[in-house]
Amino acid sequence: DLFGSPLTSQQDSNAQLNKKEALDGKIILDSYPRRLVLELTNACNLNCIMCGRNESSFTKNFFDISYLYRLEPALSYVEEVTLFGWGEPTIHPRFKDILEFLNNFPVKKYFVTNGTTLHKIEDLLFNFKVDIMAVSLDGACEATNDKIRRGASFNKIVSSLKKITARKRKNRLHYPYINFVMTLMKSNLYELPEMVDLAAAIGLEEVKAVYLTAFNRELAD
């Protein structure tokens, strides 16, 4: 209920049926999923020190947009489409086309980004009404964040976010809802209060703190 418009009659009917089927323990469902999560790519333009990508071998791949078109019959019932996975979704070569297609349906559009392409996708956020955008930042200052998120630029990300929030205010828009997502670890834990201050200064609505997943013995320390 926090994000976007009320559900359509089709979405609401599907949601009620989905909840009932879950409570009844049904295995074969008549309802559509209430949420779709589509990994647009496993490729990333950063090399963060705590990322599980470093513990696996990834063959770079991009989501085939033709599969999105095949999902069209469900998109009048689905409430949210999340565009996220192991990689950075905004580097998908057809990111614009994906948002544009989804904008034809009453779904909430949500993605998580490392913020490096914000200056390129700013117009897309408004042209295709992105409902929720989470920005990964792991420090309240350049020194901390850029050491953890190797290849990122704290100052450029903050600058881009200031432009986006200023545009929201100028046009009196409630979208996109933007939050920071911070992975807590020994090297940045005590900057969490400063992250809240930073978010407030920029005009972001929320800071979300998540715990670090230790993908190897070294990360556990």
Side-chain angles (χ1 to χ4, degrees):
D1 297 334
L2 180 61
F3 309 115
S5 305
L7 300 182
T8 66
S9 58
Q10 283 181 301
Q11 288 174 323
D12 185 60
S13 296
N14 182 70
Q16 299 310 315
L17 177 58
N18 187 268
K19 292 175 185 176
K20 183 179 185 304
E21 290 181 325
L23 289 173
D24 292 343
K26 288 194 68 174
I27 297 174
I28 299 176
L29 306 183
D30 293 318
S31 61
Y32 285 93
R34 299 182 62 194
R35 182 183 186 217
L36 291 177
V37 182
L38 306 177
E39 181 176 39
L40 297 193
T41 183
N42 58 12
C44 190
N45 55 353
L46 296 185
N47 182 25
C48 301
I49 63 173
M50 70 298 187
C51 185
R53 294 171 51 84
N54 296 324
E55 299 306 310
S56 301
S57 297
F58 284 88
T59 301
K60 186 168 68 174
N61 199 6
F62 291 94
F63 178 75
D64 184 344
I65 196 172
S66 67
Y67 289 110
L68 181 61
Y69 301 147
R70 291 170 62 181
L71 291 170
E72 182 171 353
L75 291 175
S76 293
Y77 300 90
V78 169
E79 297 166 46
E80 178 186 296
V81 177
T82 299
L83 307 173
F84 185 57
W86 275 105
E88 169 56 36
T90 65
I91 66 174
H92 191 290
R94 300 193 64 183
F95 186 67
K96 171 183 177 292
D97 297 327
I98 292 168
L99 290 181
E100 185 173 16
F101 178 75
L102 291 174
N103 203 45
N104 295 313
F105 303 92
V107 297
K108 295 165 186 151
K109 296 173 286 295
Y110 168 42
F111 66 88
V112 184
T113 177
N114 59 33
T116 57
T117 65
L118 288 175
H119 60 292
K120 297 180 181 178
I121 67 167
E122 178 183 333
D123 287 342
L124 305 185
L125 302 176
F126 298 100
N127 292 345
F128 304 122
K129 195 180 178 297
V130 170
D131 296 275
I132 314 163
M133 179 177 70
V135 180
S136 295
L137 207 71
D138 288 326
C141 65
E142 179 182 18
T144 303
N145 180 77
D146 293 2
K147 182 178 180 180
I148 295 170
R149 306 189 64 79
R150 293 179 296 202
S153 171
F154 173 89
N155 291 331
K156 288 182 179 179
I157 293 169
V158 169
S159 176
S160 294
L161 286 172
K162 287 179 177 178
K163 290 179 182 178
I164 291 168
T165 54
R167 187 166 169 178
K168 281 179 62 177
R169 287 192 299 270
K170 180 180 179 181
N171 294 289
R172 298 181 179 180
L173 298 172
H174 65 276
Y175 64 88
Y177 179 99
I178 307 172
N179 63 9
F180 277 142
V181 178
M182 181 182 188
T183 303
L184 297 181
M185 59 195 86
K186 290 179 180 178
S187 58
N188 69 359
L189 175 65
Y190 296 103
E191 290 187 22
L192 179 57
E194 295 171 42
M195 283 287 288
V196 176
D197 291 338
L198 176 64
I202 296 173
L204 307 191
E205 284 86 348
E206 179 186 23
V207 175
K208 182 182 292 184
V210 298
Y211 59 81
L212 181 143
T213 300
F215 292 97
N216 60 34
R217 184 69 62 182
E218 184 180 351
L219 287 179
D221 296 329

